[in-house]
Coordinates of all heavy atoms in Angstrom, one line a residue:
D1154 N 10.5 14.1 24.7 CA 11.8 13.7 24.2 C 12.5 15.0 23.9 O 12.1 15.9 23.1 CB 11.6 12.9 23.0 CG 12.9 12.5 22.3 OD1 14.0 13.0 22.8 OD2 12.9 11.7 21.4
P1155 N 13.7 15.2 24.6 CA 14.4 16.4 24.4 C 15.1 16.6 23.1 O 15.5 17.7 22.7 CB 15.5 16.3 25.5 CG 15.6 14.9 25.7 CD 14.3 14.3 25.5
C1156 N 15.1 15.6 22.2 CA 15.8 15.7 20.9 C 14.9 16.1 19.8 O 15.3 16.3 18.7 CB 16.5 14.4 20.6 SG 17.8 13.9 21.8
I1157 N 13.5 16.1 20.0 CA 12.6 16.4 18.9 C 12.8 17.8 18.4 O 13.0 18.7 19.2 CB 11.1 16.2 19.4 CG1 10.9 14.7 19.6 CG2 10.2 16.8 18.5 CD1 9.5 14.4 20.1
G1158 N 12.9 17.8 17.1 CA 13.0 19.1 16.4 C 14.5 19.5 16.2 O 14.7 20.5 15.4
L1159 N 15.4 18.8 16.8 CA 16.8 19.1 16.5 C 17.3 18.4 15.2 O 16.7 17.4 14.8 CB 17.6 18.6 17.7 CG 17.3 19.3 19.0 CD1 18.2 18.7 20.1 CD2 17.5 20.8 19.0
R1160 N 18.3 19.0 14.6 CA 18.8 18.5 13.4 C 20.4 18.5 13.5 O 20.9 19.3 14.2 CB 18.3 19.2 12.2 CG 16.8 19.2 12.1 CD 16.4 19.3 10.6 NE 15.0 19.5 10.4 CZ 14.0 18.7 10.7 NH1 14.3 17.6 11.4 NH2 12.8 18.9 10.4
G1161 N 21.0 17.7 12.6 CA 22.4 17.8 12.4 C 23.2 17.5 13.7 O 22.9 16.6 14.5
A1162 N 24.2 18.3 13.9 CA 25.1 18.2 15.1 C 24.4 18.3 16.4 O 24.7 17.6 17.3 CB 26.2 19.2 15.0
R1163 N 23.4 19.2 16.5 CA 22.6 19.3 17.7 C 21.9 18.0 18.0 O 21.8 17.6 19.2 CB 21.7 20.5 17.6 CG 22.3 21.8 17.7 CD 21.3 22.9 17.8 NE 22.0 24.2 18.0 CZ 21.4 25.3 18.2 NH1 20.1 25.3 18.2 NH2 22.1 26.4 18.3
L1164 N 21.3 17.4 17.0 CA 20.6 16.1 17.2 C 21.6 15.1 17.7 O 21.3 14.3 18.6 CB 19.9 15.7 16.0 CG 19.2 14.3 16.0 CD1 18.2 14.2 17.1 CD2 18.6 13.9 14.7
D1165 N 22.7 15.0 17.0 CA 23.8 14.0 17.4 C 24.2 14.2 18.8 O 24.3 13.2 19.6 CB 25.0 14.1 16.5 CG 24.7 13.7 15.0 OD1 23.7 13.0 14.8 OD2 25.5 14.1 14.2
R1166 N 24.4 15.4 19.3 CA 24.9 15.6 20.7 C 23.8 15.3 21.6 O 24.0 14.7 22.7 CB 25.3 17.1 20.9 CG 26.7 17.4 20.4 CD 27.1 18.8 20.8 NE 26.3 19.9 20.4 CZ 26.3 20.5 19.2 NH1 27.2 20.1 18.3 NH2 25.5 21.5 18.9
C1167 N 22.5 15.6 21.3 CA 21.4 15.3 22.2 C 21.3 13.8 22.3 O 21.1 13.2 23.4 CB 20.1 15.9 21.6 SG 18.7 15.6 22.7
V1168 N 21.3 13.1 21.2 CA 21.2 11.6 21.2 C 22.3 11.0 22.0 O 22.1 10.0 22.8 CB 21.1 11.0 19.8 CG1 21.3 9.5 19.8 CG2 19.8 11.4 19.1
Q1169 N 23.5 11.5 21.8 CA 24.7 11.0 22.5 C 24.5 11.1 24.1 O 25.1 10.3 24.8 CB 25.9 11.7 22.1 CG 26.4 11.2 20.7 CD 27.6 12.1 20.2 OE1 28.1 12.9 20.9 NE2 28.0 11.8 19.0
T1170 N 23.8 12.0 24.6 CA 23.6 12.1 26.0 C 22.2 11.5 26.4 O 22.2 10.9 27.5 CB 23.6 13.6 26.5 OG1 22.6 14.3 25.8 CG2 25.0 14.2 26.2
T1171 N 21.2 11.6 25.6 CA 19.9 11.1 26.0 C 19.8 9.6 26.0 O 19.2 9.0 26.9 CB 18.8 11.7 25.1 OG1 18.9 13.1 25.1 CG2 17.4 11.3 25.5
V1172 N 20.3 8.9 25.0 CA 20.2 7.5 24.9 C 20.9 6.8 26.1 O 20.3 5.9 26.8 CB 20.7 7.0 23.5 CG1 20.8 5.4 23.6 CG2 19.7 7.4 22.5
P1173 N 22.2 7.2 26.4 CA 22.8 6.5 27.6 C 22.1 6.8 28.9 O 22.0 5.9 29.8 CB 24.2 7.1 27.6 CG 24.5 7.6 26.2 CD 23.1 8.0 25.7
A1174 N 21.5 8.0 29.0 CA 20.7 8.3 30.2 C 19.5 7.4 30.3 O 19.2 6.9 31.4 CB 20.4 9.8 30.3
A1175 N 18.8 7.2 29.2 CA 17.6 6.4 29.2 C 18.0 4.9 29.5 O 17.3 4.2 30.2 CB 16.9 6.5 27.9
Y1176 N 19.1 4.5 29.0 CA 19.6 3.1 29.2 C 19.9 3.0 30.7 O 19.5 2.0 31.3 CB 20.9 2.9 28.4 CG 21.5 1.5 28.7 CD1 21.2 0.5 27.9 CD2 22.4 1.3 29.7 CE1 21.7 -0.8 28.1 CE2 23.0 0.1 29.9 CZ 22.6 -1.0 29.1 OH 23.1 -2.2 29.3
A1177 N 20.5 4.0 31.3 CA 20.8 3.9 32.8 C 19.5 3.9 33.6 O 19.4 3.2 34.6 CB 21.7 5.1 33.2
D1178 N 18.5 4.6 33.1 CA 17.2 4.6 33.8 C 16.6 3.2 33.8 O 16.1 2.7 34.8 CB 16.2 5.5 33.2 CG 16.6 7.0 33.5 OD1 17.4 7.3 34.4 OD2 16.0 7.9 32.8
V1179 N 16.7 2.5 32.6 CA 16.2 1.1 32.5 C 17.0 0.2 33.4 O 16.5 -0.6 34.1 CB 16.2 0.6 31.1 CG1 15.8 -0.8 31.0 CG2 15.3 1.5 30.2
R1180 N 18.3 0.4 33.4 CA 19.2 -0.5 34.3 C 18.8 -0.3 35.7 O 18.7 -1.3 36.5 CB 20.7 -0.1 34.0 CG 21.7 -0.7 35.0 CD 21.8 -2.2 34.9 NE 22.3 -2.6 33.6 CZ 22.2 -3.8 33.1 NH1 21.7 -4.8 33.8 NH2 22.7 -4.1 31.9
R1181 N 18.6 0.9 36.2 CA 18.2 1.1 37.6 C 16.8 0.5 37.9 O 16.7 -0.1 38.9 CB 18.1 2.6 37.9 CG 19.5 3.3 38.1 CD 19.4 4.7 38.7 NE 18.9 5.6 37.7 CZ 19.7 6.2 36.8 NH1 21.0 5.9 36.7 NH2 19.2 7.0 35.9
A1182 N 15.9 0.6 37.0 CA 14.6 0.0 37.2 C 14.7 -1.5 37.2 O 14.0 -2.2 38.0 CB 13.6 0.5 36.1
Y1183 N 15.5 -2.1 36.3 CA 15.7 -3.5 36.3 C 16.3 -4.0 37.6 O 15.9 -5.0 38.2 CB 16.6 -3.9 35.1 CG 16.9 -5.4 35.0 CD1 16.0 -6.1 34.2 CD2 17.9 -6.0 35.5 CE1 16.2 -7.5 34.1 CE2 18.2 -7.3 35.4 CZ 17.3 -8.1 34.7 OH 17.5 -9.4 34.5
N1184 N 17.3 -3.3 38.1 CA 18.0 -3.7 39.3 C 17.0 -3.5 40.5 O 17.0 -4.4 41.4 CB 19.3 -2.9 39.6 CG 20.4 -3.3 38.6 OD1 20.4 -4.4 38.1 ND2 21.3 -2.4 38.3
A1185 N 16.2 -2.5 40.5 CA 15.2 -2.3 41.6 C 14.2 -3.5 41.5 O 13.8 -4.0 42.6 CB 14.5 -1.0 41.4
A1186 N 13.8 -3.9 40.3 CA 12.9 -5.1 40.2 C 13.6 -6.4 40.8 O 12.9 -7.1 41.5 CB 12.5 -5.3 38.8
R1187 N 14.8 -6.6 40.5 CA 15.5 -7.7 41.0 C 15.6 -7.7 42.5 O 15.3 -8.7 43.2 CB 16.9 -7.8 40.5 CG 17.0 -8.3 39.1 CD 18.4 -8.5 38.5 NE 19.3 -8.9 39.5 CZ 20.6 -8.7 39.5 NH1 21.1 -8.0 38.5 NH2 21.4 -9.1 40.4
R1188 N 15.9 -6.5 43.1 CA 16.0 -6.4 44.5 C 14.6 -6.6 45.2 O 14.5 -7.0 46.3 CB 16.6 -5.0 44.9 CG 18.0 -4.9 44.7 CD 18.6 -3.6 45.3 NE 17.9 -2.4 44.9 CZ 18.2 -1.7 43.8 NH1 19.2 -2.1 43.0 NH2 17.5 -0.6 43.4
A1189 N 13.6 -6.2 44.5 CA 12.2 -6.3 45.1 C 11.7 -7.7 45.0 O 10.7 -8.0 45.6 CB 11.3 -5.3 44.3
G1190 N 12.4 -8.6 44.3 CA 12.0 -10.0 44.2 C 11.0 -10.3 43.1 O 10.3 -11.3 43.1
V1191 N 11.0 -9.4 42.0 CA 10.2 -9.7 40.9 C 10.6 -11.0 40.2 O 11.8 -11.3 40.2 CB 10.3 -8.5 39.9 CG1 9.6 -8.8 38.6 CG2 9.6 -7.3 40.5
D1192 N 9.7 -11.8 39.7 CA 9.9 -13.1 39.2 C 11.1 -13.1 38.2 O 11.1 -12.3 37.3 CB 8.7 -13.6 38.5 CG 8.8 -15.0 37.9 OD1 8.9 -15.9 38.7 OD2 8.9 -15.0 36.7
S1193 N 12.0 -14.0 38.4 CA 13.2 -14.0 37.5 C 12.9 -14.4 36.1 O 13.5 -14.0 35.1 CB 14.2 -15.0 38.1 OG 13.7 -16.3 38.1
D1194 N 11.8 -15.2 35.8 CA 11.4 -15.5 34.5 C 10.9 -14.3 33.7 O 11.2 -14.0 32.6 CB 10.3 -16.6 34.4 CG 10.8 -18.0 34.8 OD1 12.1 -18.2 34.7 OD2 10.0 -18.8 35.3
Y1195 N 10.1 -13.5 34.5 CA 9.6 -12.2 33.9 C 10.8 -11.3 33.6 O 10.9 -10.7 32.5 CB 8.7 -11.5 34.9 CG 8.3 -10.1 34.5 CD1 7.4 -9.9 33.4 CD2 8.9 -9.0 35.1 CE1 7.1 -8.6 33.0 CE2 8.6 -7.7 34.7 CZ 7.7 -7.5 33.6 OH 7.4 -6.3 33.2
L1196 N 11.8 -11.2 34.5 CA 12.9 -10.3 34.3 C 13.8 -10.8 33.1 O 14.3 -10.0 32.4 CB 13.8 -10.3 35.6 CG 13.1 -9.5 36.7 CD1 14.0 -9.5 37.9 CD2 12.9 -8.0 36.3
G1197 N 13.9 -12.2 32.9 CA 14.6 -12.7 31.8 C 13.9 -12.3 30.5 O 14.5 -11.9 29.5
D1198 N 12.5 -12.3 30.5 CA 11.8 -11.9 29.3 C 12.1 -10.4 29.0 O 12.3 -10.0 27.9 CB 10.3 -12.1 29.5 CG 9.9 -13.6 29.5 OD1 10.7 -14.4 29.0 OD2 8.8 -13.9 29.9
V1199 N 12.0 -9.6 30.1 CA 12.3 -8.2 29.9 C 13.7 -8.0 29.3 O 13.9 -7.2 28.4 CB 12.1 -7.4 31.2 CG1 12.7 -6.0 31.2 CG2 10.7 -7.4 31.7
Q1200 N 14.7 -8.7 29.9 CA 16.0 -8.5 29.4 C 16.2 -8.9 27.9 O 16.9 -8.2 27.2 CB 17.0 -9.4 30.3 CG 18.4 -9.0 30.0 CD 19.3 -9.7 31.1 OE1 19.1 -10.9 31.4 NE2 20.3 -9.0 31.5
R1201 N 15.5 -10.0 27.5 CA 15.6 -10.4 26.1 C 14.9 -9.3 25.2 O 15.5 -9.0 24.1 CB 14.9 -11.7 25.9 CG 15.8 -12.9 26.4 CD 15.2 -14.2 26.0 NE 14.0 -14.5 26.9 CZ 14.1 -15.0 28.1 NH1 15.2 -15.2 28.7 NH2 13.0 -15.2 28.8
R1202 N 13.8 -8.7 25.7 CA 13.2 -7.7 24.9 C 14.1 -6.4 24.8 O 14.2 -5.8 23.8 CB 11.8 -7.3 25.5 CG 10.8 -8.3 25.3 CD 9.4 -7.9 25.8 NE 9.2 -6.5 26.0 CZ 8.8 -6.0 27.2 NH1 8.6 -6.8 28.2 NH2 8.6 -4.7 27.3
W1203 N 14.8 -6.2 25.9 CA 15.7 -5.0 26.0 C 16.8 -5.2 25.0 O 17.1 -4.3 24.2 CB 16.2 -5.0 27.4 CG 17.0 -3.8 27.8 CD1 17.4 -2.7 27.1 CD2 17.6 -3.7 29.1 NE1 18.1 -1.9 27.9 CE2 18.3 -2.5 29.2 CE3 17.6 -4.5 30.3 CZ2 18.9 -2.0 30.3 CZ3 18.2 -4.0 31.4 CH2 18.9 -2.8 31.4
V1204 N 17.4 -6.4 24.9 CA 18.4 -6.7 23.9 C 17.9 -6.6 22.5 O 18.6 -5.9 21.6 CB 19.1 -8.0 24.2 CG1 20.0 -8.4 23.1 CG2 19.8 -8.0 25.5
R1205 N 16.8 -7.1 22.2 CA 16.2 -7.1 20.9 C 15.9 -5.6 20.5 O 16.2 -5.2 19.3 CB 14.9 -7.9 20.8 CG 15.1 -9.3 20.6 CD 13.8 -10.1 20.2 NE 12.7 -9.8 21.0 CZ 12.3 -10.4 22.1 NH1 13.0 -11.4 22.6 NH2 11.2 -10.1 22.8
L1206 N 15.4 -4.8 21.4 CA 15.2 -3.4 21.2 C 16.5 -2.7 20.8 O 16.5 -2.0 19.8 CB 14.6 -2.8 22.4 CG 14.4 -1.2 22.4 CD1 13.4 -0.9 21.3 CD2 14.0 -0.7 23.7
Q1207 N 17.5 -2.9 21.5 CA 18.8 -2.3 21.1 C 19.3 -2.7 19.7 O 19.7 -1.8 19.0 CB 19.8 -2.7 22.2 CG 19.6 -2.1 23.5 CD 20.6 -2.6 24.5 OE1 20.5 -3.7 25.0 NE2 21.6 -1.8 24.8
R1208 N 19.1 -3.9 19.4 CA 19.5 -4.4 18.1 C 18.7 -3.8 16.9 O 19.2 -3.4 15.9 CB 19.5 -5.9 18.0 CG 20.5 -6.6 18.8 CD 20.5 -8.1 18.7 NE 21.4 -8.7 19.5 CZ 21.3 -9.9 20.1 NH1 20.2 -10.6 19.8 NH2 22.2 -10.4 20.9
R1209 N 17.3 -3.8 17.2 CA 16.4 -3.3 16.2 C 16.4 -1.8 16.0 O 16.2 -1.3 14.9 CB 15.0 -3.7 16.6 CG 14.5 -5.0 16.1 CD 13.0 -5.1 16.3 NE 12.3 -4.1 17.1 CZ 11.9 -4.4 18.4 NH1 12.0 -5.6 18.9 NH2 11.3 -3.4 19.1
S1210 N 16.7 -1.1 17.0 CA 16.5 0.4 17.0 C 17.8 1.2 17.0 O 17.8 2.4 17.2 CB 15.7 0.8 18.3 OG 14.5 0.2 18.3
S1211 N 18.9 0.5 16.7 CA 20.1 1.2 16.8 C 20.2 2.4 15.8 O 20.9 3.3 16.0 CB 21.3 0.2 16.6 OG 21.2 -0.4 15.3
D1212 N 19.4 2.3 14.7 CA 19.5 3.3 13.7 C 18.4 4.4 13.9 O 18.5 5.5 13.3 CB 19.2 2.8 12.3 CG 20.3 1.9 11.8 OD1 21.5 2.0 12.3 OD2 20.1 1.0 11.0
N1213 N 17.5 4.2 14.8 CA 16.5 5.2 15.1 C 16.4 5.4 16.6 O 15.8 4.7 17.4 CB 15.1 4.7 14.6 CG 14.1 5.7 14.7 OD1 14.2 6.7 15.6 ND2 13.0 5.6 13.9
P1214 N 17.1 6.5 17.1 CA 17.1 6.8 18.5 C 15.8 7.0 19.1 O 15.6 6.7 20.3 CB 18.0 8.0 18.6 CG 18.0 8.7 17.2 CD 17.8 7.5 16.3
Y1215 N 14.8 7.5 18.3 CA 13.5 7.8 18.9 C 12.8 6.5 19.3 O 12.1 6.4 20.3 CB 12.6 8.6 17.9 CG 13.2 10.0 17.7 CD1 13.7 10.3 16.5 CD2 13.2 10.9 18.8 CE1 14.3 11.6 16.3 CE2 13.8 12.2 18.6 CZ 14.3 12.5 17.3 OH 14.9 13.7 17.2
D1216 N 12.9 5.5 18.4 CA 12.3 4.2 18.7 C 13.0 3.6 19.9 O 12.4 3.0 20.8 CB 12.5 3.2 17.5 CG 11.5 3.5 16.4 OD1 10.6 4.3 16.6 OD2 11.8 2.9 15.3
L1217 N 14.3 3.7 20.0 CA 15.1 3.2 21.1 C 14.6 3.9 22.4 O 14.4 3.3 23.4 CB 16.6 3.4 20.9 CG 17.5 2.8 21.9 CD1 17.3 1.3 22.0 CD2 18.9 3.1 21.5
L1218 N 14.5 5.2 22.4 CA 14.1 6.0 23.6 C 12.7 5.6 24.0 O 12.4 5.4 25.2 CB 14.2 7.5 23.4 CG 15.6 8.0 23.2 CD1 15.6 9.4 22.8 CD2 16.3 7.9 24.6
D1219 N 11.8 5.5 23.0 CA 10.4 5.0 23.4 C 10.4 3.6 24.0 O 9.6 3.4 25.0 CB 9.5 5.0 22.1 CG 9.2 6.4 21.6 OD1 9.3 7.4 22.4 OD2 8.7 6.6 20.5
G1220 N 11.2 2.7 23.4 CA 11.2 1.4 23.9 C 11.8 1.4 25.3 O 11.3 0.6 26.2
Y1221 N 12.9 2.1 25.6 CA 13.4 2.2 26.9 C 12.4 2.7 27.9 O 12.3 2.2 29.0 CB 14.6 3.1 26.9 CG 15.9 2.5 26.4 CD1 17.0 3.4 26.2 CD2 16.1 1.2 26.2 CE1 18.2 2.8 25.7 CE2 17.3 0.7 25.7 CZ 18.3 1.5 25.5 OH 19.5 1.0 25.0
D1222 N 11.6 3.7 27.5 CA 10.6 4.3 28.4 C 9.5 3.2 28.7 O 9.1 3.1 29.9 CB 10.0 5.5 27.8 CG 9.2 6.3 28.7 OD1 9.6 6.6 29.9 OD2 8.0 6.6 28.4
D1223 N 9.1 2.5 27.7 CA 8.1 1.4 27.9 C 8.6 0.4 28.9 O 7.9 0.0 29.8 CB 7.7 0.8 26.6 CG 6.9 1.7 25.7 OD1 6.4 2.7 26.1 OD2 6.9 1.3 24.5
I1224 N 9.9 -0.1 28.7 CA 10.4 -1.1 29.5 C 10.6 -0.6 30.9 O 10.3 -1.3 31.9 CB 11.7 -1.7 28.9 CG1 11.5 -2.5 27.7 CG2 12.5 -2.5 30.0 CD1 12.7 -2.8 26.9
R1225 N 11.1 0.6 31.1 CA 11.3 1.2 32.4 C 9.9 1.3 33.2 O 9.8 0.9 34.3 CB 11.9 2.6 32.3 CG 12.2 3.2 33.7 CD 12.8 4.6 33.5 NE 11.9 5.6 33.1 CZ 11.0 6.1 33.8 NH1 10.8 5.8 35.0 NH2 10.2 7.1 33.3
G1226 N 8.9 1.7 32.4 CA 7.6 1.8 33.0 C 7.0 0.4 33.5 O 6.4 0.3 34.6
E1227 N 7.3 -0.6 32.6 CA 6.8 -1.9 33.0 C 7.5 -2.5 34.2 O 6.9 -3.1 35.1 CB 7.1 -2.9 31.8 CG 6.2 -2.6 30.6 CD 6.6 -3.5 29.4 OE1 7.2 -4.6 29.6 OE2 6.2 -3.1 28.3
L1228 N 8.8 -2.2 34.3 CA 9.6 -2.6 35.5 C 9.1 -1.9 36.8 O 9.0 -2.5 37.8 CB 11.1 -2.4 35.3 CG 11.7 -3.3 34.2 CD1 13.1 -2.8 33.8 CD2 11.8 -4.7 34.8
I1229 N 8.9 -0.6 36.7 CA 8.4 0.1 37.8 C 7.0 -0.4 38.3 O 6.8 -0.6 39.5 CB 8.3 1.6 37.5 CG1 9.7 2.2 37.4 CG2 7.4 2.4 38.5 CD1 9.7 3.6 36.8
D1230 N 6.1 -0.8 37.3 CA 4.9 -1.4 37.6 C 5.1 -2.8 38.3 O 4.3 -3.1 39.2 CB 4.0 -1.5 36.4 CG 3.4 -0.2 35.9 OD1 3.5 0.8 36.7 OD2 3.0 -0.2 34.7
A1231 N 6.0 -3.5 37.8 CA 6.3 -4.8 38.4 C 6.7 -4.7 39.8 O 6.3 -5.5 40.7 CB 7.3 -5.6 37.5
V1232 N 7.6 -3.8 40.1 CA 8.0 -3.5 41.5 C 6.8 -3.2 42.4 O 6.7 -3.7 43.5 CB 9.1 -2.4 41.5 CG1 9.4 -2.0 43.0 CG2 10.4 -2.9 40.9
R1233 N 6.0 -2.3 41.9 CA 4.8 -1.9 42.6 C 3.9 -3.1 42.9 O 3.4 -3.3 44.0 CB 4.0 -0.8 41.9 CG 2.7 -0.4 42.7 CD 1.8 0.4 41.8 NE 1.5 -0.2 40.5 CZ 0.6 -1.2 40.3 NH1 0.0 -1.8 41.4 NH2 0.4 -1.7 39.1
R1234 N 3.7 -3.9 41.9 CA 2.8 -5.1 42.0 C 3.4 -6.1 43.0 O 2.7 -6.7 43.9 CB 2.6 -5.8 40.7 CG 1.6 -5.1 39.8 CD 1.2 -5.9 38.6 NE 2.3 -6.4 37.8 CZ 3.0 -5.8 36.8 NH1 2.6 -4.6 36.5 NH2 4.0 -6.4 36.2
Q1235 N 4.8 -6.2 43.0 CA 5.5 -7.1 43.9 C 5.3 -6.7 45.3 O 5.0 -7.4 46.2 CB 6.9 -7.2 43.5 CG 7.8 -8.1 44.4 CD 7.4 -9.6 44.2 OE1 7.0 -10.0 43.1 NE2 7.7 -10.4 45.2
R1236 N 5.5 -5.4 45.5 CA 5.4 -4.8 46.9 C 3.9 -4.9 47.4 O 3.7 -5.0 48.6 CB 5.9 -3.4 46.9 CG 7.4 -3.4 46.7 CD 8.0 -2.0 46.9 NE 9.4 -2.1 46.8 CZ 10.2 -1.2 46.3 NH1 9.7 0.0 45.9 NH2 11.5 -1.3 46.2
D1237 N 3.0 -4.7 46.5 CA 1.5 -4.8 46.9 C 1.0 -6.2 47.0 O -0.2 -6.4 47.3 CB 0.7 -4.0 45.9 CG 1.0 -2.5 45.9 OD1 1.7 -2.0 46.9 OD2 0.5 -1.8 45.0
G1238 N 1.8 -7.2 46.6 CA 1.4 -8.5 46.6 C 0.4 -8.9 45.4 O -0.2 -9.9 45.5
D1239 N 0.5 -8.1 44.4 CA -0.4 -8.3 43.2 C 0.3 -9.0 42.1 O -0.2 -9.2 41.0 CB -0.9 -7.0 42.6 CG -1.8 -6.3 43.6 OD1 -2.4 -6.9 44.5 OD2 -1.9 -5.0 43.5
Y1240 N 1.5 -9.5 42.3 CA 2.3 -10.1 41.3 C 2.1 -11.6 41.1 O 2.0 -12.3 42.0 CB 3.8 -9.8 41.5 CG 4.6 -9.9 40.2 CD1 4.7 -8.9 39.4 CD2 5.3 -11.1 39.9 CE1 5.4 -9.0 38.2 CE2 6.0 -11.2 38.8 CZ 6.1 -10.1 37.9 OH 6.8 -10.2 36.8

């Protein structure tokens, strides 16, 4: 996490760029999963978790970034399983 150890204005600036970039990474992974044909029920569950994460973690950017990373990883794995026929 590029923001660890920063404080004050430096932390604020880091979070202001890192959180939107992580969100965009999740969005790209979600769209890739849709294009790959990952099950729509699964994607709906992911989307609901994504929204809950945003609501719960709005005060703690580290929790939000960790959650985004987890969701992105799960979506990447789902695409791999879909392409390998393991889904």
Side-chain angles (χ1 to χ4, degrees):
D1154 179 351
C1156 300
I1157 288 181
L1159 299 178
R1160 300 211 187 301
R1163 285 185 177 186
L1164 175 61
D1165 291 342
R1166 280 191 303 277
C1167 183
V1168 167
Q1169 286 174 359
T1170 58
T1171 304
V1172 169
Y1176 179 92
D1178 289 344
V1179 173
R1180 171 67 63 198
R1181 280 190 291 277
Y1183 182 87
N1184 288 335
R1187 283 185 33 208
R1188 285 190 306 273
V1191 172
D1192 181 71
S1193 62
D1194 289 337
Y1195 171 77
L1196 290 176
D1198 290 342
V1199 167
Q1200 192 171 41
R1201 284 185 288 280
R1202 285 184 21 238
W1203 188 1
V1204 169
R1205 280 194 310 270
L1206 173 67
Q1207 289 175 282
R1208 288 180 184 151
R1209 272 193 343 255
S1210 302
S1211 61
D1212 293 336
N1213 187 335
Y1215 296 111
D1216 287 347
L1217 188 58
L1218 291 169
D1219 287 344
Y1221 281 168
D1222 191 51
D1223 290 345
I1224 290 171
R1225 185 180 70 75
E1227 291 173 24
L1228 288 165
I1229 290 170
D1230 287 344
V1232 169
R1233 181 195 47 78
R1234 287 191 308 271
Q1235 181 69 26
R1236 289 188 178 147
D1237 293 347
D1239 296 336
Y1240 201 82

